Amino acid sequence: MDARQLEYFLAIVEHGGFSKAAAVLHVAQPSLSQAMANLEADLGVSLFHRMGRGVVLSEAGAELLEPSRRVLRDLAAVRDKAAGLSGLQGGTVEVAAMPSPGIEPLTTLIQRFTELHPSMTVSTRAAFTPDETLHLVRSGVCELGLLGAATPMTASGVDVLAVEEQPFVVVAAPDDDVPDGATWHPRELGGRKLIASRQGSLMRSIVDDITAHSVGTEIVAVVDHRTSILPLVLSGVGIAVLPASWTRLARRCGAVVASIEPTAHLHVAMISLPAHLTPGARAFLELTRSFGRHQGVAPTNE
């Protein structure tokens, strides 16, 4: 077994088959197939079920995904260390991020990290729920995960670093009668049209509570992609209730932002596996820890 075989194995999984993986890796498909046959022979298990012209990951193959990713990351860490013992001289930090934390604090974290380590790259992968974020980290697809939840995050098998708590705010078009910087009680939103996410999110539960206790309030648009909400607000479709992470971007786009009192808070946390972090991921995690201390939020666990 060698690192090249593991790289080929992961490429087949991530690109959905031998032919696409061979094209991405710039190797001949027969060479790729032979490398997998040799790996399966060395391990004594079948990694894929051959079905016609396609393949499906076997149970054994699924069990080997996370260890394979870990091995390749550890090898990358050795190369990074050998390349520059005095600092981070290259490589990629992989972060899974939910939509609102992916606006802030992720933007600030990436800005500061790339200023400190200009040779490093930060690669983000979308996750839409805390469970999706946990899966991406636990499976080894990403080393770090930035998520937001209705309550402080707790999860087995991962380290949880509390980062900040974001209150919810009202975002409206500039020609709306919502004064920028004002504070509104939820009942004052009665009679308005609201843009909301689908059921299951904290954002949607707040909107549902407003519509239940405010006369004439209605949801006029339900969107899966949070990136669609701000354009809909600016076009005058309705107002939206968003975490405060959207405030700076909304105002830069010309929207007005008002506080809600009382309101729930989105608890933002960074998760990671207890070990096997590359130097880049450790540096990004330390930067996040420093950011959290500045925000005045105590870590959930260290």
Side-chain angles (χ1 to χ4, degrees):
M1 185 195 306
D2 59 38
R4 179 181 55 85
Q5 291 173 318
L6 296 181
E7 181 184 359
Y8 287 2
F9 166 58
L10 292 176
I12 294 166
V13 174
E14 291 168 2
H15 296 285
F18 280 72
S19 59
K20 290 184 178 179
V24 170
L25 294 167
H26 303 291
V27 299
Q29 187 168 334
S31 298
L32 182 63
S33 298
Q34 186 59 53
M36 286 302 94
N38 292 340
L39 180 59
E40 289 176 322
D42 288 342
L43 296 174
V45 295
S46 295
L47 300 175
F48 301 97
H49 298 303
R50 275 68 176 177
M51 303 180 66
R53 300 181 66 181
V55 293
V56 176
L57 193 64
S58 70
E59 182 177 353
E63 290 293 326
L64 290 173
L65 276 177
E66 194 276 332
S68 297
R69 289 171 176 142
R70 183 187 303 167
V71 167
L72 291 181
R73 283 208 180 96
D74 286 346
L75 288 173
V78 172
R79 295 189 190 100
D80 290 345
K81 181 68 75 173
L85 296 176
S86 61
L88 299 175
Q89 302 298 317
T92 300
V93 179
E94 296 165 328
V95 184
M98 289 176 58
S100 291
I103 299 294
E104 284 292 352
L106 186 61
T107 297
T108 296
L109 291 172
I110 291 177
Q111 178 190 24
R112 294 179 182 177
F113 183 79
T114 53
E115 287 175 351
L116 291 169
H117 310 291
S119 298
M120 296 292 296
T121 299
V122 180
S123 174
T124 64
R125 184 179 291 247
F128 294 95
T129 66
D131 284 344
E132 283 185 37
T133 312
L134 279 166
H135 172 71
L136 288 170
V137 171
R138 283 174 172 160
S139 65
V141 173
C142 296
E143 294 188 88
L144 305 173
L146 187 64
L147 54 81
T151 58
M153 185 68 189
T154 58
S156 61
V158 297
D159 287 340
V160 180
L161 176 66
V163 180
E164 65 178 358
E165 296 176 12
Q166 298 178 1
F168 281 78
V169 297
V170 174
V171 179
D175 56 354
D176 203 296
D177 61 354
V178 175
D180 189 69
T183 299
W184 286 57
H185 190 279
R187 67 171 175 268
E188 295 180 273
L189 299 175
R192 294 182 175 275
K193 296 178 179 180
L194 295 173
I195 301 163
S197 58
R198 293 197 181 277
Q199 295 282 355
S201 68
L202 177 57
M203 184 191 310
R204 179 56 184 268
S205 68
I206 294 172
V207 169
D208 287 342
D209 188 62
I210 291 172
T211 56
H213 296 90
S214 302
V215 178
T217 306
E218 61 176 331
I219 297 174
V220 295
V222 178
V223 297
D224 282 331
H225 296 289
R226 306 293 168 82
T227 50
S228 301
I229 294 178
L230 188 54
L232 288 171
V233 168
L234 292 170
S235 68
V237 172
I239 65 173
V241 176
L242 293 166
S245 58
W246 290 82
T247 298
R248 183 168 62 176
L249 177 61
R251 284 183 170 143
R252 284 183 174 180
C253 292
V256 298
V257 181
S259 301
I260 307 175
E261 187 62 44
T263 185
H265 287 72
L266 186 70
H267 295 266
V268 178
M270 182 75 83
I271 60 172
S272 59
L273 292 176
H276 300 289
L277 291 180
T278 60
R282 285 198 298 272
F284 199 92
L285 189 61
E286 283 304 314
L287 180 64
T288 307
R289 180 174 285 109
S290 176
F291 177 91
R293 288 177 181 143
H294 182 73
Q295 300 301 107
V297 178
T300 304
N301 63 46
E302 295 283 352

